[in-house]
């Protein structure tokens, strides 16, 4: 037997009803976590000094507690009926069961307690008795709580520890002190947890209990075996709950209530899979005359553990996520897997494989990890998990397997509760722009979604965010994507970076923050590439475009900040080099120019001027942002303003500046298409519901079938494409007066044409070198790049119709 002291079972503070109250504390790193109820000794000492720094502790009185411990187990008891059982050294000489928190009640957590039925309802000590009516007394191997209200009742709870085996026993009694007959009963809530991070697997009569249930009769009185793992042979640490006296009338096996979400659809059955086990033995209700008492007792014995002779994993995967401001939280978190190598030899290459993919609500960002495991030592690997919103609560299995040489030598499954995000119908403005046959029987719909409070567009939706009905029939299968009109779905970014001596900090900031910048682009659905030009008085390096952040970071890390004694630097030549990079024809082109100095202009360093540089930037449709010195802002804006870019103070928060630049005007119009279930319907009412970020919105559209069948939808065809410098625009099946517009990559209208609707076909020619705005007759050359042609027309019954296509002007 290992002679280890009681670890972690120190001081426990009481809290009014913390175990089941709403609004309990949440672990902002790992969702709802019972570890948040822990109160350490330093917090307790501050409480003793009258400070109120522990939000979970009562502040109306000094908390009373008692502690028992020996080399096998330990226990604590509070004056108001909360208790903790736990292991210390365990039952074996193996290191796997040292201090492994085989507990009833998370260490320091107020989740295990006595309950009693009185006055027609179930009661708890701290909700029925006053502080003055409760007291604790201790002996060598016994702790005793006595709660007494004169002329009402006396409740006694004893915790006894067998000095050799460490078996812990709960003995409770409730005595009627009133002059009337009272119906009374006793129960314990036992929050079971096994393993350093795990919960318990429950076996009753040697049968695994997987779902929450209530056992009655003899089944409720059978010993319950609790294991760290579901597996029988590789079960980990184990314990047995038994009853030395009369057995309970019923045994509730359930999940810890605060871990369950409060937002659920009452029309749907709640998931019952056990993920955070609580046992509640309830003794029979009986009438008590004056002076009579009801009794109950239970005991916890530590069993011999069962560990594999090869490897054994433990995982700090949380048992439940939670909601924060209506959004699933956390949406990203890290977990660790601890593995003991008991094989007797070093394992040079152990492969960990975690389950889950992006289609799942909870998934790892990488599936496979590799590490070495030293002989008789612990090895560690970590995973980052991401979570996505679910509109129906679920309990999902998460699995990790350990392979050596292709053979699975250990596997571990954890069940995780995912709460349902609220299906509220307010907060979002959903606007349907157009619904049309595309062609029959396919229906296409164009719509936008905005936050009503901030007027900010929702830019990313998944199919599970959308609910669709046609004439009351739920449409479960549809395609959801973006409509590309004048918004950005691809961007090429060139960093033009001053590398003189004063720029060391900015060089490091680019390296350290470009990952977040790239992540923002990906989050907004933007395909990106990154390039780099470095300069001082001369051009230092020119790197082409790459879609690898790691490659880009290596370029930046190779830069050395030195020189630059004179103030102006050669920005104009560096910007000109940026125009020579190979940009994708369909991508928006951005230059992020970073310098703390002014620039040379038509002198001994460069023959260039701003006036000669601007046509190069404009012809390539390059937008220039500058992060620079306040003193030279006027110089920078000679370049940023004509290219529609912005100036940012170089002394600002560099990450925030990059995040602001990264918020491109990405596509905000969604395109949804589906096959109608009734192609011959005379009319169809389409109902669109969107739920996102804890908010919701609805929109309706009535589509009338025109007489004589469905007319052909207007069509656009442009040729040649790409073009230089003119393109022919062929318009067919026009119904009534229509408008055709040409937009540049930023969405700005550059030309407009009115079609009188007297013909079914039109042919127009747009010359980019002398683009004519049909409204005011002005002409101006257009820059090369991507443009969008959009036709706004109507169907014969007056419903709006919109068709668009993309063209590329390649000089």
């Amino acid at each position: 037997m290992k002679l280890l002291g009681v670890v972690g079972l120190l001081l426990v503070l009481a809290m009014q009803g913390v175990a089941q109250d709403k609004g309990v504390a949440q672990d902002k790193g790992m969702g709802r976590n019972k570890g948040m109820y822990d109160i350490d000794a330093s917090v307790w000492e501050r409480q003793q000094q009258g400070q109120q720094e522990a939000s979970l502790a009562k502040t109306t009185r000094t908390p009373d507690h008692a502690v028992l411990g020996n080399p096998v187990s330990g226990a604590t008891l509070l004056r108001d009926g909360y208790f903790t059982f736990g292991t210390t050294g365990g039952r074996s000489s193996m290191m796997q069961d040292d201090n492994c928190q085989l507990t009833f009640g998370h260490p320091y957590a107020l989740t295990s307690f006595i309950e009693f039925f009185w006055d027609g309802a179930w009661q708890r000590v701290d909700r029925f008795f006053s502080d003055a009516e409760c007291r604790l007394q201790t002996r060598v191997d016994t702790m005793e709580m006595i709660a007494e209200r004169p002329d009402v009742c006396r409740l006694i709870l004893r915790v006894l520890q067998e000095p050799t085996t460490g078996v812990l026993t709960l003995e409770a009694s409730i005595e009627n002190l009133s002059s009337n007959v009272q119906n009374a009963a006793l129960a314990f809530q036992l929050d079971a947890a096994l393993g350093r991070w795990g919960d318990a697997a429950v076996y009753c009569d040697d049968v695994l209990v997987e779902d929450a249930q209530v056992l009655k009769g003899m089944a409720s009185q059978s010993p319950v075996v609790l294991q760290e793992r579901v597996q029988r042979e590789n079960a980990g640490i184990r314990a047995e709950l038994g009853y030395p006296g009369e057995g309970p009338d019923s045994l509730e096996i359930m999940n810890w209530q605060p871990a369950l979400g409060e937002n659920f659809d009452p029309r749907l059955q709640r998931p019952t899979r056990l993920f955070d086990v609580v046992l509640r033995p309830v003794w029979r209700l009986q009438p008590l005359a004056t002076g009579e008492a009801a009794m109950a007792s239970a005991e916890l014995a530590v069993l011999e553990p069962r560990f594999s002779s090869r490897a054994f994993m433990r995982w700090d995967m949380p048992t439940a996520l939670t909601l924060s401001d209506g959004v699933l939280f956390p949406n990203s978190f890290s977990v660790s897997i601890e593995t003991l190598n008991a094989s007797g030899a070093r394992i040079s290459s152990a492969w960990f494989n975690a389950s889950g993919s992006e289609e799942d609500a909870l998934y790892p960002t990488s599936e496979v990890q590799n590490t070495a495991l030293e002989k008789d030592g612990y090895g560690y690997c970590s995973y980052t998990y991401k979570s996505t919103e679910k509109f129906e609560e679920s309990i999902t299995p998460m699995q990790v397997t350990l392979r050596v040489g292709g053979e699975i030598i250990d596997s571990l499954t954890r069940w995780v509760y995912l709460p349902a995000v609220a299906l509220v119908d307010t907060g979002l403005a959903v606007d349907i722009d157009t619904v049309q046959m595309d062609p029959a029987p396919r229906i296409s719909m164009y719509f936008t979604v905005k936050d009503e409070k901030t007027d900010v567009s929702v830019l990313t939706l998944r199919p599970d965010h959308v609910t669709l009905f046609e004439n009351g029939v739920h449409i479960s299968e549809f395609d959801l994507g973006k409509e590309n009109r004048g918004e950005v779905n691809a961007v090429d970014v060139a960093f033009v970076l001053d590398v003189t001596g004063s720029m060391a900090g900015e060089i490091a900031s680019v390296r350290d923050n470009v990952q977040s910048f790239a992540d923002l682009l990906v989050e907004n659905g933007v395909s990106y590439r990154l390039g780099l030009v470095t300069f001082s008085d001369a051009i230092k390096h020119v790197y082409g475009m790459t879609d690898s952040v790691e490659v880009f970071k290596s370029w930046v890390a190779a830069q050395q900040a030195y020189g630059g004694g004179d103030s102006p630097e050669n920005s104009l030549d560096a910007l000109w080099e940026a125009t020579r990079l190979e940009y994708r024809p369909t991508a928006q082109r951005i230059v992020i120019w970073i310098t703390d100095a002014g620039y040379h202009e038509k002198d001994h360093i460069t023959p260039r001027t701003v006036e000669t540089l601007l046509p190069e930037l404009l012809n390539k449709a390059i937008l220039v942002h500058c992060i620079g010195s306040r003193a030279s802002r006027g110089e920078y804006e000679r370049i940023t303003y004509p290219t529609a870019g912005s100036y940012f103070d170089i002394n600002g928060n560099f990450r925030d500046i990059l995040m602001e630049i990264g918020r491109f005007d990405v596509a905000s119009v969604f395109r949804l298409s589906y096959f109608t279930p009734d192609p011959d319907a005379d009319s169809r009412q389409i109902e669109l519901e969107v739920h996102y970020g804890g908010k919701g919105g609805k929109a309706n559209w009535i589509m009338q079938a025109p007489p004589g069948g469905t007319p052909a939808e207007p069509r656009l065809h442009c040729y040649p494409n790409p073009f230089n410098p003119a393109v022919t625009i062929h318009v067919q099946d026009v119904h009534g007066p229509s408008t055709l517009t040409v937009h540049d990559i930023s969405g700005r209208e550059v030309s407009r044409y009115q079609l009188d609707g007297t013909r079914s076909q039109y042919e127009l020619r747009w010359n980019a070198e002398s683009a004519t705005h049909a409204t005011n007759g002005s002409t101006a050359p257009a820059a090369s790049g991507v443009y969008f042609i959009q036709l706004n027309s109507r169907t014969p019954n007056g419903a709006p119709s919109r068709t668009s296509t993309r063209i590329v002007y390649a000089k």
Side-chain angles (χ1 to χ4, degrees):
M1 189 68 65
K2 300 184 289 293
L3 299 177
L4 298 176
V6 178
V7 176
L9 300 173
L10 298 175
L11 302 175
V12 186
L13 304 181
M15 181 195 74
Q16 185 77 26
V18 67
Q20 292 184 337
D21 281 354
K22 298 177 182 178
V24 291
Q26 297 177 4
D27 179 345
K28 290 300 183 183
M30 297 293 286
R32 194 179 294 277
N33 186 326
K34 282 177 281 189
M36 286 299 294
Y37 297 105
D38 290 1
I39 306 296
D40 62 27
S42 62
V43 174
W44 178 80
E45 290 169 358
R46 292 195 294 270
Q47 286 285 338
Q48 296 292 82
Q49 299 168 7
Q51 299 184 32
Q52 300 180 4
E53 297 182 23
S55 62
L56 299 181
K58 285 185 176 179
T59 58
T60 57
R61 62 176 174 82
T62 302
D64 289 328
H65 63 279
V67 179
L68 288 178
N70 71 16
V72 178
S73 64
T76 62
L77 177 63
L78 302 185
R79 185 169 64 175
D80 44 5
Y82 295 97
F83 53 83
T84 298
F85 286 179
T87 57
T88 52
R91 284 291 303 274
S92 76
S93 60
M94 294 179 288
M95 60 175 26
Q96 294 102 310
D97 66 339
D98 288 352
N99 313 317
C100 280
Q101 298 177 3
L102 187 158
T103 65
F104 278 164
H106 191 279
Y108 316 134
L110 308 177
T111 57
S112 292
F113 46 86
I114 186 171
E115 295 179 89
F116 59 100
F117 189 88
W118 198 266
D119 282 345
W122 283 102
Q123 312 283 354
R124 265 192 264 167
V125 174
D126 56 357
R127 298 179 179 182
F128 187 88
F129 295 99
S130 68
D131 292 346
E133 294 171 335
C134 302
R135 69 181 188 275
L136 277 179
Q137 57 188 37
T138 61
R139 292 185 293 276
V140 176
D141 295 316
T142 305
M143 302 179 292
E144 186 176 70
M145 179 215 72
I146 302 172
E148 180 177 338
R149 180 171 297 173
D151 302 323
V152 179
C153 64
R154 178 188 298 117
L155 178 71
I156 299 176
L157 174 64
R158 295 187 185 92
V159 180
L160 304 93
Q161 183 182 45
E162 207 288 327
T164 303
T165 64
V167 172
L168 292 159
T169 303
L170 285 172
E171 293 181 351
S173 66
I174 184 166
E175 181 182 356
N176 181 12
L177 302 181
S178 73
S179 58
N180 300 319
V181 175
Q182 292 283 349
N183 290 322
L186 291 163
F188 299 123
Q189 174 164 306
L190 306 170
D191 176 21
L194 284 85
R196 182 165 301 124
W197 297 311
D199 205 68
V202 181
Y203 279 84
C204 186
D205 287 336
D206 206 33
V207 176
L208 177 65
V209 179
E210 296 184 302
D211 296 297
Q213 56 189 276
V214 179
L215 303 180
K216 291 280 192 178
M218 293 301 296
S220 68
Q221 302 175 22
S222 300
V224 173
V225 175
L226 301 162
Q227 299 186 169
E228 183 177 357
R229 299 271 201 94
V230 169
Q231 299 98 318
R232 294 180 181 275
E233 297 305 318
N234 201 15
I237 59 176
R238 303 162 63 238
E240 183 178 84
L241 174 66
Y243 312 104
E246 179 186 352
D249 182 60
S250 66
L251 174 64
E252 296 180 42
I253 305 175
M254 56 187 178
N255 285 307
W256 184 58
Q257 294 305 302
L260 291 168
E262 298 170 5
N263 173 55
F264 62 95
D265 190 337
R267 299 171 297 179
L268 302 176
Q269 182 178 355
R270 303 204 73 182
T272 59
R273 182 59 169 85
L274 293 174
F275 66 93
D276 194 342
V277 175
V278 167
L279 305 178
R280 187 173 183 263
V282 180
W283 278 259
R284 63 186 176 89
L285 183 67
Q286 54 187 297
L288 299 180
T290 304
E292 290 186 334
M295 307 288 186
S297 62
E299 67 179 20
L300 172 69
V302 181
L303 303 179
E304 285 288 335
R306 294 175 180 172
F307 292 109
S308 167
S309 60
R310 305 183 71 178
F312 190 82
M313 294 186 293
R314 286 189 169 115
W315 195 8
D316 65 346
M317 172 66 71
T319 55
L321 303 189
T322 186
L323 295 175
S324 177
D325 296 327
V327 178
L328 192 62
F329 186 89
N331 55 27
S332 178
F333 59 90
S334 296
V335 297
S336 296
I337 299 169
E338 175 190 87
T339 305
L340 177 66
N341 175 17
S343 66
R346 184 179 188 273
I347 299 175
S348 59
S349 183
W351 292 92
F352 297 85
N353 188 280
S355 65
S357 63
E358 290 194 32
E359 288 72 32
D360 301 321
L362 186 62
Y363 61 93
T365 56
S366 61
E367 296 182 6
V368 180
Q369 300 280 354
N370 176 255
T371 189
L373 300 176
E374 300 299 328
K375 175 184 176 181
D376 299 324
Y378 284 101
Y380 298 88
C381 73
S382 62
Y383 281 92
T384 297
Y385 274 77
K386 290 186 177 294
S387 61
T388 55
E389 294 175 323
K390 296 277 288 184
F391 297 107
E392 183 176 329
E393 62 178 347
S394 62
I395 300 172
T396 184
M398 304 305 299
Q399 186 180 57
V400 63
T401 57
L402 173 60
R403 295 176 182 267
V404 176
E407 178 188 3
I408 296 178
I409 64 172
D410 196 17
S411 64
L412 178 57
T413 300
R414 294 289 297 274
W415 291 84
V416 182
Y417 174 79
L418 301 173
V421 175
L423 280 172
V424 298
D425 294 325
T426 60
L428 295 180
V430 181
D431 180 50
I432 298 176
D433 186 307
T434 304
V435 178
Q436 59 191 32
M437 288 284 188
D438 190 30
R442 177 176 284 274
I443 305 289
S444 288
M445 173 195 309
Y446 300 88
F447 67 96
T448 58
V449 182
K450 287 188 176 183
D451 187 302
E452 290 181 334
K453 184 175 181 181
T454 63
D455 201 38
V456 173
S457 294
V458 173
L459 301 174
T460 55
L461 287 178
R462 301 190 312 271
D464 56 299
H465 290 136
V466 175
T467 305
L468 181 67
F469 297 89
E470 182 190 290
N471 290 343
V473 177
H474 180 216
I475 309 297
S476 59
E477 295 186 6
F478 53 82
D479 296 323
L480 181 66
K482 289 289 191 69
E483 187 214 6
N484 300 324
R485 291 184 297 170
E487 296 89 350
V488 179
N489 284 304
V491 62
D492 288 345
V493 182
F495 285 79
V496 176
L497 182 59
D498 183 344
V499 292
T500 54
S502 59
M503 292 290 292
E506 285 71 23
I507 294 172
S509 291
V510 172
R511 181 194 64 227
D512 296 342
N513 292 288
V514 71
Q515 181 69 63
S516 297
F517 177 73
D519 288 346
L520 177 64
L521 299 182
V522 172
E523 181 181 339
N524 285 336
V526 176
S527 166
Y528 68 85
R529 294 194 310 165
L530 305 173
L532 178 65
V533 177
T534 63
F535 69 96
S536 56
D537 272 350
I539 303 302
K540 296 295 185 181
H541 297 94
V542 178
Y543 302 88
M545 290 289 177
T546 178
D547 58 6
S548 169
V549 173
E550 293 304 318
V551 169
F552 180 84
K553 288 165 69 174
S554 71
W555 294 343
V556 178
Q559 306 310 309
Q560 299 292 325
Y562 63 90
D566 58 336
S567 177
E569 306 301 341
N570 195 4
S571 288
L572 298 189
D573 279 357
L575 292 169
W576 184 85
E577 290 290 348
T579 68
R580 317 310 323 142
L581 297 176
E582 292 188 8
Y583 297 95
R584 290 174 291 178
T586 59
Q588 181 169 341
R589 301 153 187 194
I590 304 290
V591 163
I592 301 178
W593 169 28
I594 307 171
T595 181
D596 62 355
Y599 48 80
H600 290 282
E601 183 176 13
K602 199 174 183 180
D603 59 10
H604 64 288
I605 297 296
T606 177
R608 300 189 194 283
T609 65
V610 171
E611 287 71 26
T612 59
L613 173 66
L614 280 175
E616 296 293 331
L617 294 168
L618 296 174
N619 284 338
K620 294 293 182 68
I622 295 174
L623 182 152
V624 181
H625 295 297
C626 181
I627 305 174
S629 166
R630 294 181 191 175
S632 301
R633 176 172 181 171
E635 292 184 65
Y636 306 142
E637 289 184 339
R638 292 176 60 198
I639 297 170
T640 61
Y641 186 79
T643 62
S646 301
Y647 161 79
F648 299 92
D649 190 341
I650 200 169
N651 295 311
N653 184 294
F654 199 86
R655 181 182 183 279
D656 290 347
I657 293 172
L658 283 184
M659 294 300 99
E660 179 64 28
I661 293 174
R663 292 185 179 93
F664 297 102
D665 181 21
V666 298
S668 59
V669 178
F670 294 93
R671 181 180 185 271
L672 183 152
S673 61
Y674 69 96
F675 288 101
T676 175
D678 187 2
D680 299 324
D682 292 333
S683 65
R684 53 190 99 247
Q685 180 173 350
I686 298 173
E687 301 171 73
L688 176 68
E689 300 179 9
V690 177
H691 298 94
Y692 179 83
K695 300 178 181 179
K698 298 180 180 180
N700 296 322
W701 186 280
I702 297 177
M703 192 176 184
Q704 298 287 347
T710 303
E713 291 293 333
R715 288 179 291 169
L716 281 175
H717 180 56
C718 299
Y719 57 90
N721 192 14
F723 67 95
N724 180 20
V727 59
T728 298
I729 306 169
H730 185 76
V731 185
Q732 187 174 349
D733 298 323
V734 176
H735 306 285
S738 305
T739 302
L740 186 141
T741 53
V742 182
H743 302 262
D744 66 14
I745 191 69
S746 66
R748 292 175 292 193
E749 182 182 307
V750 296
S751 291
R752 171 183 291 261
Y753 300 91
Q754 297 294 340
L755 310 181
D756 57 18
T758 58
R759 293 178 287 157
S760 63
Q761 298 187 38
Y762 291 85
E763 191 165 280
L764 307 171
R765 186 172 176 82
W766 186 67
N767 191 312
E769 288 187 346
S770 57
T772 301
H773 196 295
T775 301
N776 56 31
S778 62
T779 60
S784 61
V786 177
Y787 291 85
F788 298 89
I789 309 295
Q790 181 170 297
L791 175 66
N792 290 282
S793 185
R794 288 192 175 273
T795 62
N797 63 358
S801 172
R802 178 182 57 198
T803 306
S804 63
T805 191
R806 176 164 50 186
I807 58 176
V808 178
Y809 175 27
K811 289 186 177 181

